[in-house]
Amino acid sequence: MSPLLPAPGTRVDIYALIHKGIRAALADALHAAGRLDWTDDEDVSDLVVRVQELAALCRGHLTHENDHVHAAME
């Protein structure tokens, strides 16, 4: 049996992996912000871009989840 497929008779948790990945990306960005040298313009710029990309990822994920997953559940 594939480790990616659930055992027969078990429920599939469609939220777990994507949300785990999003939380990991957010935690990594928070860690980067904590060790950032705020006097280094390049470091600050890199972090700003990273946070903007994460915001776009979260926005896209929320839109997809609302349009497809939640609509199917209703």
Side-chain angles (χ1 to χ4, degrees):
M1 172 171 289
S2 168
L4 298 178
L5 297 176
T10 61
R11 292 180 61 182
V12 176
D13 185 353
I14 63 171
Y15 289 98
L17 289 178
I18 187 64
H19 292 136
K20 184 176 184 176
I22 291 170
R23 284 191 306 273
L26 291 168
D28 191 52
L30 179 63
H31 185 91
R35 66 179 186 271
L36 182 70
D37 176 2
W38 291 99
T39 63
D40 185 327
D41 290 341
E42 186 176 347
D43 280 354
V44 172
S45 179
D46 290 347
L47 183 64
V48 168
V49 168
R50 185 177 191 168
V51 170
Q52 289 172 333
E53 289 172 349
L54 276 170
L57 172 81
C58 290
R59 186 180 311 109
H61 171 71
L62 180 60
T63 298
H64 179 270
E65 198 169 88
N66 285 339
D67 291 348
H68 301 284
V69 178
H70 295 164
M73 292 171 75
E74 289 177 7

